[in-house]
Amino acid sequence: HLAGGTGTLNISNGTVTDQSIGYVGALSGASGVINVSNAGSSFTNVGTLYFGDYGSAQMSINTGGSVSTSTTFMAFQPGSSATVNVSGAGSQWNNSGTLYVGYSDQGTLTIGNGGSVTSNHGFLGLNSGAVGTVTISGNGSNWIDTSELAVGWAGQGTLLVQNGGTVSSAAGSQIGMLSSGIGNVTVTGSGSLWSYINTLTVGQFGHGALTVSNGGLVSGDGAFIGDSGGAGTVTVTGAGSEWTNTGGLIVGNGGRGSLTIQSGGQAASAGGQLGYSSGAVGNVTVTDPGSQWTNTGGLIIGGSGQGTLTIQNGGLVTSAGGSNIAYNGGAVGNVTITGSGSQWSYSQGLLVGGGGQGTLTVSNGAVLSGDGGQVGYTNVAVGTVTVTDAGSQWTNTGGLTIGGSGQGTLNIQNGGLVSFATACGNACFSDVGVYAGSIGPVTVDGVGSSW
């Protein structure tokens, strides 16, 4: 307790219960150590635990030992430090209240070899200048948070889930919450999992990054990347790596968002929007064979802001429920599909320039396929589609409209192919320059180019 002093509590065959507020490493320069080991050995702190108040604190829970606390502040004051290691099957740290890993300074939590931690709220790097790091490693190792989980609130937070470790959270989760917050989450390795309930926000007001790699899995109800002025980046990479959402995925919702799916990674959502609000920027890249973004709903590239979708080098995107490039007036949407094996398959129609300025390019043997499309839909919309190079195709089971009420342009060149169905009645007619004031130029140019 005293400055410069070290206090150690070892519990290996018995129980200790503290009914009051607890301090470990209370004063600056003081060091407190707690070791709890063996099944049946436990330490209980009923009141708030200041684990590293002004000094340093260390706790080891292993070989089946258990610790129970309410609210725990790790590294409570600037200049303090706190380290907790929970290791071994049956080893547990149960927090009935909030767990702060790095409240004002540096806090580190390691869960390994089948150890378990529970909490009601979890915050990594709460205050500006704080650093919170949590590592969950190995089969059976887990952190269960029954409420909000924030990685990088106003400080810096890092969460690493690897080698079969798991973490679960509810009531909304954030990576990079406030403007000064920096959050980084990595889920890597087969069997490694982060499951969340409600919405995950990557870059709420601050900077957030999520990486899913080497067969890791992240799953939840829905997500925002780059929200409310924040910046968010998500990368899903490697065969077997997956990010699945039963709800929608918004990339750029008042901030800047980026999603990259590569090297055989997979992502799924109930619908997607890129550049949702005015001033927002959303970019998605799907690249390499086996990489796929599956949408069971529609896909909007440029809602009221700026959206860019790039599908290349054999990547695949699917969407249903109607898709739109530049949905509202003032929106800008750009889609590029390029390279043999690269494909976007849609259903329930595609609008290029629904209300804003939309551009779609299919090149170098890529394929766009669906059940009908319109280019330059409303009277303020501008839409341009270019299908270029041998093997590049836009194929439709429905009809095409080039220049509905606005300005639509279709360029087929250098051996590109555009086709529409001719045996399904009025739905299959193709129209060029439909309504008064509309513009619909179509150019078919070059050997092998065909409409």
Side-chain angles (χ1 to χ4, degrees):
H1 181 81
L2 295 178
T6 300
T8 302
L9 172 62
N10 295 314
I11 307 171
S12 60
N13 186 20
T15 63
V16 172
T17 302
D18 182 5
Q19 298 289 346
S20 63
I21 295 174
Y23 296 90
V24 181
L27 299 183
S28 178
S31 177
V33 179
I34 297 176
N35 298 309
V36 184
S37 59
N38 301 331
S41 300
S42 67
F43 170 61
T44 300
N45 193 95
V46 177
T48 300
L49 178 61
Y50 293 90
F51 195 75
D53 188 9
Y54 287 87
S56 67
Q58 300 177 51
M59 181 162 62
S60 175
I61 308 168
N62 57 64
T63 59
S66 67
V67 171
S68 298
T69 58
S70 57
T71 294
T72 302
F73 296 94
M74 295 179 62
F76 183 66
Q77 297 287 352
S80 63
S81 65
T83 302
V84 175
N85 182 42
V86 185
S87 180
S91 301
Q92 302 177 47
W93 184 17
N94 300 311
N95 291 271
S96 60
T98 303
L99 173 59
Y100 297 96
V101 183
Y103 184 84
S104 293
D105 213 296
Q106 188 164 330
T108 302
L109 169 62
T110 303
I111 309 167
N113 301 314
S116 177
V117 171
T118 62
S119 59
N120 189 36
H121 288 79
F123 295 90
L124 283 65
L126 184 82
N127 292 316
S128 180
V131 178
T133 303
V134 175
T135 300
I136 307 163
S137 183
N139 292 328
S141 304
N142 66 81
W143 180 14
I144 300 172
D145 187 81
T146 58
S147 190
E148 179 182 20
L149 176 60
V151 182
W153 185 266
Q156 181 175 332
T158 300
L159 173 62
L160 172 61
V161 186
Q162 63 183 7
N163 301 325
T166 64
V167 58
S168 61
S169 57
S173 300
Q174 302 92 25
I175 305 173
M177 176 60 187
L178 300 185
S179 59
S180 60
I182 300 173
N184 293 281
V185 176
T186 300
V187 181
T188 184
S190 178
S192 301
L193 168 67
W194 180 14
S195 62
Y196 55 88
I197 298 173
N198 294 328
T199 302
L200 168 65
T201 302
V202 184
Q204 178 98 33
F205 293 92
H207 290 75
L210 169 64
T211 301
V212 188
S213 63
N214 299 317
L217 172 62
V218 174
S219 66
D221 294 335
F224 298 94
I225 307 174
D227 187 51
S228 304
T233 302
V234 176
T235 303
V236 185
T237 181
S241 302
E242 298 182 25
W243 184 25
T244 61
N245 285 281
T246 57
L249 173 59
I250 297 180
V251 185
N253 181 48
R256 300 181 66 88
S258 174
L259 169 63
T260 300
I261 307 166
Q262 63 186 24
S263 303
Q266 304 265 326
S269 53
Q273 298 197 46
L274 284 63
Y276 175 76
S277 58
S278 179
V281 177
N283 299 306
V284 174
T285 299
V286 184
T287 181
D288 308 323
S291 301
Q292 183 170 343
W293 182 17
T294 303
N295 285 280
T296 56
L299 181 57
I300 296 175
I301 300 97
S304 294
Q306 180 177 331
T308 301
L309 172 62
T310 303
I311 309 167
Q312 62 187 19
N313 195 33
L316 172 64
V317 172
T318 63
S319 60
S323 296
N324 199 312
I325 304 174
Y327 183 76
N328 290 313
V332 177
N334 296 285
V335 175
T336 300
I337 314 168
T338 184
S340 178
S342 302
Q343 183 176 356
W344 179 12
S345 176
Y346 64 88
S347 60
Q348 299 189 39
L350 170 64
L351 303 182
V352 183
Q357 183 174 333
T359 303
L360 170 63
T361 302
V362 184
S363 64
N364 297 315
V367 173
L368 172 67
S369 62
D371 55 2
Q374 299 193 49
V375 184
Y377 181 65
T378 64
N379 61 355
V380 295
V382 177
T384 303
V385 176
T386 300
V387 181
T388 181
D389 308 322
S392 300
Q393 301 180 40
W394 182 12
T395 61
N396 281 282
T397 57
L400 290 177
T401 297
I402 313 300
S405 295
Q407 179 176 334
T409 300
L410 173 61
N411 299 309
I412 309 169
Q413 59 194 32
N414 300 324
L417 167 67
V418 174
S419 64
F420 65 96
T422 58
C424 52
N426 290 337
C428 293
F429 285 130
S430 280
D431 301 304
V432 179
V434 181
Y435 298 107
S438 65
I439 301 173
V442 176
T443 301
V444 183
D445 180 48
V447 175
S449 301
S450 177
W451 187 13

